[in-house]
């Protein structure tokens, strides 16, 4: 009997694997499906109705001091081992503690130690000690017993990084259940820290991501890595999320005779320059520096509310705002942002923006790919550096995943307001100019059709189950 366990960790995973066709596809491949959820169980009531599916809410694990120490050791050693990648080195630099607390002193000690000792064997040893440290934890024992009762024949993690799920992976290993994971985002391998643990199988977006995985994790076997694309973009080809241009114009209160620019924000941790860019665009419109009649829609990050834009909203009432309709399902979580889930209305709104605007502007975001999928011109703004005193977002241009974007010439890069205005005029007057480059970048980063993504993943998991 084929029984799949699916681990949903956060709101993005919920959108990708619950609000897509994924559940409908896996119930065709498996006799029984368990959803082990890091979100409250009530979230699923409108989406999962099959009697073959059982949803179980996982108790929240909070790591102790010993577990934290070994996890930190593992992650820092991984970054030190690969600091020739700019993103890894940047994370090392930004993560170095500035205080003199006991925890900060321990981290500084680990920085010194891992600078010299960061072999693959030492990283795996640190992971072994991390797992041993929580093996007797109450929550870990609950996880082991849960999987022992359910007896899934395969366990699929929809995100490879959340450290608080390491005990659940341990529970799967203790029950001798084969495990797989989906590499969550395009920047995770070449700029983020270590995975939460060691999996048996991997699903990746593309051949590029497969090569990165095999490089950063030399113990992984190539035959256990499958290219499936990503469900992140699959809603764009699902009929229920499609709306007309007429609805788009009405919903956002737009002028159909004007071109539309969409600025998509980062979250506050990496997007403190967002208000500066928004103001630059709006002032250019007010001063008639744009060669066309245009209107600006600003979409804020789903990870936060729009409170930090209060001043600019009041100053520029002509801006149209799209605040993502994501609901916070639980407070006091170890990663509270992970507990926000999207509404269907928001997916429809986002898809409508992607299809109908004339130009997207963002700060080195994955949203560049979203808009390219609809063949829209994209400008990436990086207004900050060490010299001008603004948040240094220009450093992201050197990150491995984004350097490929820059080198592809599928986008233009604006480092100040003057460059941005020039590039806006160029993109609006010649929207087809980078069409080929956009198409080539999408093929490099995703490499599979959006249609059939869920079916492809379900069949791959079924194949893993048979091994």
């Amino acid at each position: 009997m084929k029984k799949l366990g699916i681990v949903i960790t956060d709101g993005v995973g919920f959108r990708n694997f619950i609000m897509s066709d994924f559940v409908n596809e896996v119930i065709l491949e498996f006799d029984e499906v368990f959803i082990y959820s890091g979100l409250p169980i009530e979230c699923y009531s409108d989406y999962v109705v099959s009697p073959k599916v059982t949803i179980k809410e996982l108790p929240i694990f909070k790591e102790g001091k010993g577990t934290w120490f070994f996890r930190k050791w593992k992650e820092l050693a991984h970054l030190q081992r690969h600091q020739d990648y700019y993103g890894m080195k940047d994370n090392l630099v930004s993560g170095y503690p500035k205080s003199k607390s006991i925890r900060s002193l321990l981290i500084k000690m680990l920085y010194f130690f891992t600078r010299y000792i960061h072999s693959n064997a030492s990283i795996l040893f640190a992971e072994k000690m991390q797992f041993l440290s929580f093996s007797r934890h109450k929550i870990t024992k609950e996880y082991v017993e849960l999987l022992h009762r359910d007896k899934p024949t395969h366990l699929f993690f929809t995100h490879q990084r959340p450290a608080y799920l390491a005990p659940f992976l341990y529970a799967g290993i203790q029950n001798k259940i084969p495990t797989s994971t989906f590499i969550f985002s395009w920047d995770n391998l070449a700029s983020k820290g270590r995975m939460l643990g060691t999996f048996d199988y991997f699903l990746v977006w593309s051949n590029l991501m497969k090569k990165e995985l095999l490089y950063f994790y030399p113990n992984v076997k190539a035959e256990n890595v499958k290219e499936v694309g990503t469900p992140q973009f699959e809603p764009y080809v699902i009929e229920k999320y499609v709306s007309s241009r007429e609805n788009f114009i009405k919903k956002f209160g737009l002028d159909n005779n004007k071109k539309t620019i969409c600025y998509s924000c980062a979250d506050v941790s990496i997007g403190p320059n967002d208000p500066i860019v928004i103001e630059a665009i709006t002032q250019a419109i007010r001063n008639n520096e744009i060669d066309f009649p245009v209107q600006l829609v600003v979409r804020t990050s789903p990870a936060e509310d729009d409170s930090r834009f209060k001043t600019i909203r009041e100053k520029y009432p002509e801006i149209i705002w799209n605040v993502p309709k994501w609901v916070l399902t639980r407070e006091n979580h170890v990663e509270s942002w992970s507990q926000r889930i999207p509404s269907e209305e928001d997916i429809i709104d986002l898809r409508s923006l992607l299809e109908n605007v004339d130009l997207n502007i963002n700060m080195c975001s994955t949203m560049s790919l979203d808009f390219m999928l609809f063949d829209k011109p994209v400008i990436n703004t990086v207004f900050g550096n060490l010299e001008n005193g603004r948040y240094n977002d220009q450093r992201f241009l050197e990150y491995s995943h984004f350097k490929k974007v820059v080198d592809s010439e599928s986008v233009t890069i604006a480092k100040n307001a003057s460059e941005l205005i020039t590039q806006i005029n160029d993109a609006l007057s010649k929207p087809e100019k980078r069409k080929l480059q956009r198409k080539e970048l999408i093929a490099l980063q995703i490499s599979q059709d959006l249609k059939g993504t869920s079916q492809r993943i379900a069949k791959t998991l079924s194949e893993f189950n048979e091994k």
Side-chain angles (χ1 to χ4, degrees):
M1 191 174 185
K2 295 167 62 176
K3 299 165 70 173
L4 178 66
I6 304 168
V7 185
I8 300 290
T9 63
D10 55 27
V12 179
F14 184 90
R15 180 196 65 189
N16 292 352
F17 292 95
I18 302 299
M19 300 181 76
S20 65
D21 290 331
F22 179 67
V23 173
N24 291 332
E25 294 295 341
V26 292
I27 60 178
L28 298 177
E29 299 289 338
F30 288 84
D31 301 300
E32 192 172 356
V33 175
F34 297 99
I35 295 176
Y36 300 109
S37 177
L39 296 162
I41 199 167
E42 305 83 53
C43 300
Y44 298 84
S45 58
D46 293 334
Y47 299 98
V48 181
V49 294
S50 171
K52 294 176 70 172
V53 181
T54 304
I55 304 164
K56 301 195 174 186
E57 188 176 326
L58 294 177
I60 301 171
F61 171 78
K62 295 183 179 179
E63 64 183 11
K65 294 177 182 177
T67 299
W68 168 83
F69 179 82
F70 290 117
R71 174 179 63 79
K72 200 69 181 177
W73 172 2
K74 175 179 77 172
E75 292 175 352
L76 286 174
H78 182 79
L79 293 174
Q80 297 274 21
R81 179 176 172 81
H82 300 293
Q83 64 173 296
D84 50 329
Y85 279 74
Y86 186 90
M88 300 285 199
K89 188 172 184 178
D90 186 59
N91 275 315
L92 273 174
V93 172
S94 62
Y96 193 79
K98 297 176 177 61
S99 72
K100 295 182 179 179
S101 67
I102 294 176
R103 174 168 286 211
S104 294
L105 291 173
L106 285 172
I107 294 174
K108 289 177 182 179
M109 181 194 75
L110 286 172
Y111 264 80
F112 179 80
F113 173 72
T114 57
R115 184 187 306 169
Y116 302 101
I117 300 176
H118 50 250
S119 66
N120 190 56
S122 73
I123 294 170
L124 292 175
F125 174 77
E127 180 174 290
K128 181 179 179 180
M129 296 303 295
Q130 175 199 358
F131 278 47
L132 183 63
S133 71
F134 57 61
S135 61
R136 295 184 178 277
H137 193 284
K138 176 177 178 291
I139 297 296
T140 306
K141 290 179 179 180
E142 288 182 29
Y143 289 165
V144 171
E145 180 57 31
L146 173 64
L147 291 177
H148 178 72
R149 289 196 306 269
D150 293 345
K151 292 182 171 54
T153 54
H154 190 87
L155 194 57
F156 172 51
F157 288 72
T158 57
H159 195 322
Q160 87 287 358
R161 292 196 66 236
Y164 57 85
L165 284 173
F168 200 69
L169 174 60
Y170 171 85
I173 295 169
Q174 289 299 108
N175 279 284
K176 296 182 171 55
I177 303 168
T179 61
S180 63
T181 191
F182 175 74
I183 304 301
F184 184 71
S185 189
W186 67 336
D187 66 339
N188 280 188
L189 293 172
S191 63
K192 302 292 186 182
R194 191 79 178 179
M195 290 189 198
L196 66 92
T198 302
F199 300 92
D200 298 305
Y201 303 98
F202 300 85
L203 295 91
V204 296
W205 293 28
S206 62
N207 184 252
L208 169 64
M209 192 176 278
K210 179 176 181 177
K211 289 177 180 177
E212 290 179 339
L213 176 64
L214 296 175
Y215 175 79
F216 290 113
Y217 295 85
N219 285 27
V220 174
K221 296 178 181 178
E223 60 268 26
N224 292 340
V225 183
K226 299 299 180 184
E227 301 165 36
V228 296
T230 172
Q232 179 168 327
F233 308 117
E234 190 181 23
Y236 304 153
V237 293
I238 295 177
E239 186 63 31
K240 70 176 179 177
Y241 298 121
V242 177
S243 65
S244 67
R245 179 170 176 83
E246 290 73 23
N247 286 338
F248 167 71
I249 296 296
K250 183 178 179 181
K251 176 71 181 286
F252 290 95
L254 298 170
D255 184 340
N256 199 29
N257 297 311
K258 291 183 177 180
K259 292 186 180 294
T260 305
I261 298 171
C262 174
Y263 181 79
S264 43
C265 300
D267 65 70
V268 66
S269 66
I270 59 171
N273 293 334
D274 285 338
I276 299 170
V277 180
I278 294 167
E279 185 161 23
I281 299 168
T282 312
Q283 284 289 357
I285 296 172
R286 282 188 174 186
N287 297 336
N288 296 315
E289 296 176 82
I290 311 298
D291 295 341
F292 301 85
V294 295
Q295 55 206 333
L296 175 63
V297 178
V298 174
R299 178 174 168 87
T300 59
S301 168
E304 60 187 16
D305 61 25
D306 61 334
S307 56
R308 69 186 177 107
F309 298 103
K310 182 177 185 295
T311 300
I312 203 166
R313 291 189 73 151
E314 293 173 351
K315 186 175 180 180
Y316 299 102
E318 66 266 39
I319 297 173
I320 298 113
W321 292 84
N322 174 221
V323 181
K325 295 176 178 62
W326 287 50
V327 180
L328 182 62
T329 61
R330 180 192 291 152
E331 297 180 353
N332 303 318
H333 191 270
V334 289
E335 292 183 358
S336 60
W337 64 266
S338 72
Q339 300 299 293
R340 297 171 70 93
I341 64 169
S343 62
E344 286 193 2
E345 181 183 359
D346 184 64
I347 297 178
I348 293 169
D349 286 349
L350 174 57
R351 190 197 178 282
S352 189
L353 280 168
L354 300 174
E355 184 174 26
N356 291 292
V357 303
D358 298 283
L359 168 66
N360 173 247
I361 303 171
N362 71 77
M363 192 283 291
C364 304
S365 166
T366 321
M367 289 299 295
S368 297
L369 297 181
D370 293 69
F371 282 91
M372 285 186 208
L373 285 165
F374 287 82
D375 197 26
K376 303 298 180 179
V378 176
I379 300 171
N380 292 130
T381 54
V382 281
F383 277 22
N385 55 46
L386 294 176
E387 286 71 42
N388 65 19
R390 292 173 178 165
Y391 175 78
N392 182 18
D393 47 18
Q394 287 181 17
R395 74 188 199 277
F396 293 125
L397 300 178
E398 297 300 320
Y399 275 51
S400 176
H401 75 286
F402 211 81
K403 199 170 187 306
K404 292 179 178 66
V405 179
V406 177
D407 293 344
S408 74
E409 299 185 346
S410 58
V411 303
T412 57
I413 306 298
K415 296 184 178 181
N416 54 56
S418 177
E419 291 181 2
L420 177 58
I421 294 164
T422 299
Q423 292 172 20
I424 288 173
N425 284 322
D426 187 57
L428 292 178
S429 62
K430 293 173 281 188
E432 299 292 306
K433 185 176 180 180
R434 299 174 188 275
K435 184 182 182 72
L436 178 60
Q437 291 92 330
R438 292 193 288 267
K439 185 176 180 180
E440 289 175 345
L441 182 71
I442 289 295
L444 175 69
Q445 294 288 351
I446 303 174
S447 79
Q448 299 284 343
D449 289 340
L450 299 191
K451 286 186 177 180
T453 300
S454 288
Q455 183 184 59
R456 197 179 305 122
I457 295 173
K459 287 186 177 298
T460 300
L461 292 173
S462 180
E463 291 168 6
F464 287 162
N465 187 87
E466 298 298 328
K467 289 189 176 183

